[in-house]
Amino acid sequence: MLIQLILAVNCLFLTTESFKPSHTNNWAVLVDTSRFWFNYRHVANLLSVYRSVKRLGIPDTQIILMMADDMACNARNPRPASVFNNAKQHIDVYGEEIEVDYRGYEVTVENFVRLLTGRLPAGTPKSKQLLTDEGSNILIYMTGHGGDGFLKFQDAEEITNVDLADAFEQMWQKRRYNEILFIVDTCQAASMFQKFYSPNILAIGSSLVGEDSLSHHVDPAIGVYIIDRYTYFALEFLESVSRDSDRRLSEFLEVCPKRHCISTVGIRSDLYQRDPREVRVTEFFGSVRPVEVYSPKETLLRFEKNLTVIPSNFRQRLTGTALHSPPRKFQYGNQLRIPK
Amino acid sequence: MQLETQYASHLFIFIMLGLGLPLWWKTTEVYRQELPYKDVESLRESFQIVQEVRLILKVKSINGGELAKVIAKECSLPGKFSVVVTPSNYSVEDETLSYLALNLEDFDASLPELEHYHLQIIEVDKSEKPVVLGRRRNLFFEKKTSLNLLAAVIRSILAEEGPTSVVNQDFDGTSDLWNQLSKLRRFASSSFLNVLFTFSNPDPELFDIDWPIEAAIEEYLQPFADNLKDIVDIRPSSQHIYFAPLGVTPRKALHGDGYEISTDLSLLINPLESKLGEQVLPGPTANLVLLVPPARFHPLHLKNRENSDSFIVHRWGGIAFYNPPKDSNGTHWIDMQPVMETFIGQLRLLIGLDIKLPKDVARISLNEKAIADWEVDYLLRLKTIENIAYSTKAIKSLTALLETITNIVISNDVASNVSSSLESIKKSSRLFEKGMLKESYKESLAASERADAAFFDPSMLALLYFPSDQKYAIYVPLFLPVGIPVLLSTWSLLKSFFASSKTEKSNINEQKEKHHQD
């Protein structure tokens, strides 16, 4: 989904039908809040969503990945450097190119709220900041252990639904998002979005208050549960989505009915202004980049100096076409300076 | 109850309720500095500043006074722009310059610098189009130029429609498509902009190409950056990246040989982005990438290209294709002139120089300066308005937030930033009304930086996850064990008080009866 325009200096021609000025870029914030080997499934959940989101086009620079523990390089992992979300090990979701922005003990409630509200200390690298603007659609996916009104971070602290609602309100006040799709896969997940009061948020929880979200299956080789039910079926749906799919968000909202998930999927759509039947799944899971062909109608810029400079021993200034110099020899640098 | 016990109970109650409770309340209070709520409320969110614009009109053969009046009337917008046009005739100096000049370009270059006026409107004998815009603050027109065209051009230059109406950061349906597009494309206003020139060569073993980028930056970018130094500080850097794959498979071209890409241009960006490393540069970065296509897709063009094989990515930068010549013995050095013309043209659009001019308007082509003086004024106006709107919105929403969420700490820094941002907004508006563009832009930039510093102050988080219901949940178990005996003794105190008052009453009644009996 992109915007392609032919732009001349004096007049504007629109040659595409879908120029929607509301949504101009996509971000994803994926958070796994639990550590320890027996919470393997949370990391597998997270990485599966990460993989789908990358496959559908969101670049690493626009994904904030928060993983509270390292399963791939865990001493107990029989297949190091790989994380599977299926006992049959179809896909290694850890992949070959992964960029974890907040790792291990950096995943705390404070860092998460600071990330959302933008109040990070000066000197934080850009890869750890959420640099969204008023046209960003953000996908926020959280997984871990939760309860009625809170989500547990790292077995030591919790984030409450009030905090989360306040954080989103601060984001809204600063126009740091256009729309948010908030997915939470924990026990009693629906309690996390009960207190939201900012507009343009569509929230999905894998279970209602009072229900537990269940995991899907155990991998006997590893000895732990390997993926949660909601994420397993959500992934099945996402695997059928490609970059130019026309699948709608309403279909995604119906993924994992009670017979599959055992818990009931909770949805909050009163704050969301559009009809999910008219929203494509790729508007949150894929990436849009406004692009226009640059064609200056007139030669407005006409540089008078005609310059070609070749450094090193061929320093001459010439007019006209580029100059060729003798070939350079590429060779490895002398890395191992052993004296002769 | 015994008297000593009563005194002791009284003392305990006094200490607990009289001293303890207020002390606990005060120490668990959130530190909140006073913010100028009233002043912030009074800031109007819709832009109501009346700009004063001073133009000078130089005529030869027509009636200057009348024309000046008509232009002033046409271009003034009540409540927004008050345009004052001073008519004058050609001075002797002007006549000499006009005679000596070879063409309009020379005339434009030789005219003296304007001091009190924003734009000079000059009548000339003959020009290629009815209205010609110069490189400095000059606009040339002929005797037969229509008045409407003249007024329309002046209105465009002054940014009358469009940027002044896009005040909210939301996309309201009222601002037209051109302005929405322009706003989406340009970087947010800031005091500096990193420009990263990247040369991408996917097959370095097959193509031995290089580009003299340092010299090109010095010769072509530096003049442009110098002209922009009042608006934004451009910080160039450059790099080479290798082995970046092409994100799209191009098709064979329909006409001619080679390959072409027409759709999915945005897919070209992702494989580059992981190698660009623009996150290293702090602050906003414009990425200008010169892409050499892989050897098997040689030569590669954009399907709808007109003058340049390149495209712009909104708020990110631009990508241009470069097809090196097939036969080159030795290192091939790229001719930087067309490349830099493309890049600087894209950079102009990315900082917001997208002025909608009517037809029949010509512009004298720009040399390495790459920006006309009146365009600098246009940018100053545009960005000042943007900054003022942005900081107004920021401090208004901050104060609203802080009033709603009552347990956020408001430190001295935040309070001082809010006040100084408010001051800067007011000062900038006053300067803008007088037409002092550079000074008002500086103030507005300071206002938006302070507003951001206030809104994103890291200290406004400390007690965020400690809402009031949890506060009581923590303190009740601490105070209840101490409180219960005190409560019980209060209860027995009260009981004994009522009991004693009853016995007193009954004593008095007995005495009364005794008296009666006696």
Side-chain angles (χ1 to χ4, degrees), chain A residues 4 119 126 175 289 292 296, chain B residues 170 262 273 283 307 314 455:
Chain A
Q4 213 174 5
R119 299 204 173 104
K126 271 201 209 167
R175 292 297 182 275
R289 292 266 209 167
E292 62 185 279
Chain B
D170 315 329
S262 56
E273 229 178 347
N307 289 327
H314 292 184
F455 199 100

Side-chain angles (χ1 to χ4, degrees), chain B residues 10 39 45 82 176 222 229 248 267 418 425 458 467 478 497:
Chain B
H10 277 120
D39 281 340
E45 228 173 80
S82 115
D176 61 86
Q222 211 46 53
K229 67 177 177 340
V248 175
L267 293 178
V418 170
I425 291 176
L478 288 176
F497 177 69

Side-chain angles (χ1 to χ4, degrees), chain B residues 115-163:
Chain B
E115 281 201 5
H116 303 289
Y117 301 100
H118 292 124
L119 192 68
Q120 195 169 204
I121 310 169
I122 307 177
E123 186 202 343
V124 289
D125 294 322
K126 194 168 164 311
S127 60
E128 54 187 82
K129 283 269 177 85
V131 175
V132 178
L133 290 166
R135 286 181 193 168
R136 294 161 69 226
R137 292 187 174 85
N138 303 318
L139 187 157
F140 302 102
F141 71 101
E142 295 174 308
K143 187 168 157 186
K144 57 179 162 80
T145 306
S146 89
L147 202 57
N148 287 334
L149 180 63
L150 203 54
V153 175
I154 296 174
R155 279 201 297 267
S156 299
I157 293 176
L158 295 177
E160 287 196 4
E161 291 126 38

